Amino acid sequence: MLQAYNPFIGSIVDSTLITLNQTMRNSVFFNRTDPKFGIEFNFQRTGSKALLNNGLELRENTFGNHRIRWSPGDKFTLSGETRNGRKISEAEYFSTRNYRITYFDWEPKIAYQPGPVFRASLGFARSIKRNSPELGSEVSESNSLSAELKYNVASKGSFQSIFKVTDISFNGNQNTPVAFEMQEGLRTGRNFTWNLSYQRTLSNNMQLSISYDGRKSPDVKTVHVGNVQVRVFF
């Protein structure tokens, strides 16, 4: 009887559950606010289960995350991040949506910030993902290089730009939910993504936001997405 009131008990594959959303996060850190050096360890688990028109569907993501940063001077910051986890998807009537992916991500980054207004960073990321042998044995490997610029003036607003080049190798069918998940919406080969965003406070209770996103993948036309938003605070 008492198990029904324990928030830490509740298997997402329990046949008696129809709808479920759960999130658990644990963090251990050292020198979190220190500007020179810090380490952080995280463990997170998220899961959802829902009864849809086409049957039950469940998703789960469990991973461990490790971060370390070091500032050798007043202007440069070196950081590194790793993530090791597993993603699960199960659909009752659509077997193509079923996968059990284990993944490992590694991302070092260097940032240059001469003052409070301008910041530039350069990063590299490598990701390896493998689907279970029972559900296809697909393997995806990606390497990406990214550059980021930030300019922030309190009275004039903030501007941010990100440009990323990603090379992906994948040994499975491109047009499947598994491929979409393992390649994060991109395609096999060299992909280019970029983002420009600008935000400014027009008055004490009004804020303007403008953003533009672009993506170019092999054998696919360039995708452009723009967004303009005005917020009024009462």
Side-chain angles (χ1 to χ4, degrees):
M1 292 292 295
L2 295 178
Q3 292 183 354
Y5 301 96
N6 189 340
F8 300 103
I9 296 179
S11 174
I12 200 170
V13 297
D14 192 335
S15 60
T16 62
L17 293 174
I18 296 178
T19 301
L20 173 68
N21 286 284
Q22 62 179 10
T23 301
M24 182 177 64
R25 178 183 173 89
N26 298 293
S27 298
V28 178
F29 51 85
F30 174 75
N31 278 355
R32 190 174 193 176
T33 59
D34 187 88
K36 293 293 184 180
F37 177 77
I39 302 176
E40 184 175 352
F41 302 94
N42 300 305
F43 174 82
Q44 183 169 325
R45 179 181 180 182
T46 60
S48 64
K49 183 178 182 179
L51 178 61
L52 306 177
N53 293 332
N54 51 10
L56 287 169
E57 290 192 10
L58 67 87
R59 291 178 179 271
E60 185 177 304
N61 186 16
T62 305
F63 64 88
N65 180 241
H66 315 87
R67 300 176 182 172
I68 184 171
R69 56 177 175 80
W70 174 54
S71 299
D74 297 332
K75 299 180 180 180
F76 288 93
T77 300
L78 304 176
S79 62
E81 181 175 352
T82 64
R83 178 175 295 187
N84 188 14
R86 182 184 64 177
K87 291 183 179 181
I88 298 175
S89 175
E90 293 184 7
E92 190 170 4
Y93 293 109
F94 293 94
S95 59
T96 57
R97 298 183 184 178
N98 296 342
Y99 56 75
R100 291 177 177 267
I101 300 172
T102 58
Y103 61 92
F104 176 78
D105 302 332
W106 174 61
E107 183 176 1
K109 182 182 291 186
I110 180 171
Y112 171 71
Q113 186 171 356
V117 175
F118 176 78
R119 176 184 173 91
S121 61
L122 186 66
F124 172 80
R126 177 169 174 78
S127 177
I128 302 175
K129 301 177 182 179
R130 301 178 185 275
N131 195 12
S132 66
E134 298 82 5
L135 298 175
S137 301
E138 292 91 348
V139 178
S140 172
E141 296 188 14
S142 67
N143 297 282
S144 63
L145 185 66
S146 62
E148 181 177 355
L149 297 176
K150 290 183 178 181
Y151 183 79
N152 186 14
V153 178
S155 59
K156 296 183 178 181
S158 61
F159 173 80
Q160 180 177 347
S161 65
I162 303 174
F163 181 78
K164 182 181 292 187
V165 182
T166 305
D167 282 326
I168 301 177
S169 63
F170 180 67
N171 66 346
N173 187 350
Q174 292 284 318
N175 301 313
T176 62
V178 177
F180 184 87
E181 177 66 35
M182 297 183 73
Q183 299 180 109
E184 300 180 4
L186 301 178
R187 305 279 293 182
T188 299
R190 181 162 296 177
N191 301 262
F192 300 89
T193 58
W194 56 91
N195 168 266
L196 300 174
S197 61
Y198 175 74
Q199 187 177 85
R200 181 169 184 174
T201 301
L202 302 178
S203 62
N204 293 332
N205 63 341
M206 184 176 295
Q207 187 180 79
L208 172 67
S209 299
I210 303 174
S211 65
Y212 160 66
D213 292 275
R215 180 177 74 249
K216 180 65 178 75
S217 299
D219 303 324
V220 178
K221 293 183 178 180
T222 304
V223 178
H224 304 278
V225 179
N227 181 52
V228 178
Q229 186 177 67
V230 178
R231 297 180 181 178
V232 179
F233 304 96
F234 297 97

